[in-house]
Amino acid sequence: LLAVFGKGGTGKTAFISITTRLLTELNNHKVLVIDADPSMNLSNVLGVKPSKTVGEVREEIIKNIVKTTDEEKEEIAGMLDYMIMEALSEKGKFALLVMGRPEDVGCFCPVNTLLRDAIETLSKNFDITLIDGEAGIEQINRQVMRVVDTPILLTDTSARGIETAALIKSIVDKKKVIRCEGLNLVINRIRDNEESVKRFAQKTGLEPAGFIPEDPNITDYDLVGKPLMDLPDDSPSVQAVRGILGKLGLI
């Protein structure tokens, strides 16, 4: 399981999109991609239109449970895996699951726990699960993900982005909210400032595991709404992500 965390707008969704492409093309892996960000941009860059979100499944469960007996509630819980499967959108060698936004306010912790367990069960049917995490630190604090094999802290070259990554690392190290072997810092949108950005990151206690250069192809594709899965092989971002995944032992 690989999950990407960081400040909003740093390029997490683009990273997941390129990673999905490389893992399915180079390793022939069966990949589950989970869009855990409420902004739900991942489907566009992957070129997939989801039929249903996990948020909609959640609301459906809540509405049904309110009106049911204890026996019927157990029956609904037993159907949860099937309901989650219905929310899967498959394309080629990968499947996309969009978390979406909850429609109702308030805490429905038991339902959320059921959903989390169902997603963990679903992921066992795939070789690799990729998670595009919600911006910031809230998802970390809520323990949406409990075990992550390869956590990526993605930042751009801004001080705020690097400081957010350092804060996430501090929370994971101190509170142990996610079980993982270590955190991998990746710095995106590098221009001619790799060394200065690296030194700033090191001052916050972070050691970069890789750099991704500014890629004009991503800007051009985003402008016309073209899926980033279709980026040319020689795009700077594709080449850089390929190198990072190789360093992490994923390809």
Side-chain angles (χ1 to χ4, degrees):
L1 191 152
L2 181 152
V4 182
F5 310 102
K7 186 178 78 67
T10 55
K12 296 187 299 297
T13 298
F15 182 89
I16 286 289
S17 175
I18 296 170
T19 298
T20 301
R21 171 188 166 176
L22 291 172
L23 291 177
T24 53
E25 285 184 357
L26 300 180
N27 281 23
N28 201 30
H29 281 314
K30 189 178 179 184
V31 179
L32 171 63
V33 187
I34 298 178
D35 186 356
D37 192 331
S39 62
M40 297 187 293
N41 292 322
L42 186 56
S43 59
N44 293 327
V45 300
L46 290 175
V48 178
K49 187 174 181 180
S51 57
K52 184 184 287 187
T53 71
V54 174
E56 289 168 340
V57 172
R58 174 182 178 273
E59 302 307 321
E60 187 178 334
I61 294 169
I62 291 168
K63 288 174 184 175
N64 288 334
I65 282 179
V66 168
K67 306 171 185 177
T68 56
T69 64
D70 288 343
E71 185 175 330
E72 289 170 325
K73 287 177 184 177
E74 289 183 12
E75 186 177 335
I76 290 171
M79 293 173 58
L80 186 57
D81 288 350
Y82 173 76
M83 296 170 75
I84 292 291
M85 286 291 292
E86 277 192 317
L88 270 183
S89 302
E90 297 190 55
K91 183 178 181 180
K93 297 172 186 173
F94 75 89
L96 174 66
L97 189 67
V98 177
M99 298 298 289
R101 294 182 294 267
E103 297 296 328
D104 297 332
V105 297
C107 176
F108 296 96
C109 296
V111 174
N112 290 339
T113 299
L114 278 175
L115 288 171
R116 183 174 61 191
D117 291 344
I119 292 168
E120 288 180 354
T121 300
L122 177 65
S123 68
K124 294 175 183 176
N125 298 313
F126 293 83
D127 299 313
I128 293 182
T129 299
L130 305 176
I131 299 180
D132 184 5
E134 183 179 355
I137 64 172
E138 190 55 37
Q139 207 162 59
I140 300 285
N141 279 325
R142 292 201 307 268
Q143 289 185 278
V144 174
M145 290 146 274
R146 292 179 286 196
V147 180
V148 178
D149 301 305
T150 308
I152 302 287
L153 295 176
L154 192 77
T155 179
D156 53 16
T157 60
S158 70
R160 285 183 58 203
I162 294 172
E163 287 164 356
T164 299
L167 178 58
I168 292 172
K169 181 180 186 302
S170 174
I171 291 172
V172 172
D173 288 346
K174 292 178 181 177
K175 296 185 179 181
K176 308 297 181 185
V177 289
I178 292 177
R179 297 200 302 275
C180 60
E181 292 298 321
L183 295 161
N184 305 281
L185 178 69
V186 173
I187 302 179
N188 192 24
R189 302 194 185 112
I190 289 286
R191 291 172 182 151
D192 293 318
N193 54 352
E194 182 174 317
E195 283 305 314
S196 60
V197 173
K198 180 179 179 180
R199 286 194 297 272
F200 182 81
Q202 288 171 333
K203 287 180 181 178
T204 66
L206 295 169
E207 185 63 41
F211 300 89
I212 303 172
E214 183 78 40
D215 189 345
N217 289 329
I218 289 181
T219 304
D220 293 343
Y221 275 48
D222 280 342
L223 187 63
V224 297
K226 194 173 181 180
L228 298 184
M229 292 282 284
D230 298 334
L231 283 168
D233 287 337
D234 61 357
S235 285
S237 56
V238 175
Q239 294 296 318
V241 173
R242 185 196 300 262
I244 291 166
L245 295 179
K247 185 177 180 180
L248 296 174
L250 295 175
I251 59 174

